[in-house]
Amino acid sequence: MSQVVTMTNQQRSANGCGQLAVDQELTVASVRQSNYMARTGRFSHVWNDGTTFVGRSHQAGYAQPSGENIAWGYRTASEVIRAWMASPRHRANMLNCGAHSIGTGVAYAANGVPYYTQVFGWE
């Protein structure tokens, strides 16, 4: 997922934002979200038990998450970055200059479909 981080930081730099630092706790939260979606086939920011990215980030030990992007089915990092940048809400998360940290994750469903997650943080 380092390509996703690199490409996200390239987009931020091109749009006047500082670089995001990779945070291990946000990475854990992102991987858990991707694994959940791949395992269940459920493409949603909210788990069946009501857990959101804020709760997942807190469970991983991160206090101040700022946003989450999810995607599925894209075959490359550049494809998923292009899709997120074309979506106003996802783009806003990526280009939130107040965010300082990122965690990313990808997991593959049994049928080979990739599920991607980015979680951003204020710290």
Side-chain angles (χ1 to χ4, degrees):
M1 290 306 298
S2 62
Q3 286 181 314
V4 170
V5 172
T6 298
M7 291 179 188
T8 298
N9 276 329
Q10 288 169 344
Q11 291 295 329
R12 288 174 61 84
S13 185
N15 288 278
C17 293
Q19 301 288 291
L20 296 169
V22 174
D23 182 273
Q24 185 59 37
E25 294 161 341
L26 292 179
T27 299
V28 167
S30 296
V31 169
R32 286 179 182 164
Q33 170 66 4
S34 290
N35 283 334
Y36 173 82
M37 292 187 297
R39 185 180 71 254
T40 64
R42 193 161 180 241
F43 184 67
S44 175
H45 290 280
V46 181
W47 287 8
N48 282 339
D49 67 2
T51 303
T52 67
F53 80 94
V54 172
R56 289 188 292 276
S57 298
H58 290 170
Q59 289 170 356
Y62 193 87
Q64 296 183 327
S66 64
E68 177 181 74
N69 288 346
I70 59 175
W72 68 277
Y74 297 97
R75 295 295 168 189
T76 66
S78 59
E79 286 179 9
V80 76
I81 292 295
R82 273 195 303 275
W84 280 332
M85 288 299 290
S87 163
R89 290 177 63 190
H90 295 99
R91 179 184 175 95
N93 280 339
M94 291 173 67
L95 300 182
N96 180 340
C97 293
H100 296 287
S101 301
I102 188 173
T104 60
V106 64
Y108 294 85
N111 63 1
V113 173
Y115 288 82
Y116 299 88
T117 305
Q118 293 179 305
V119 180
F120 303 91
W122 299 119
E123 300 172 41

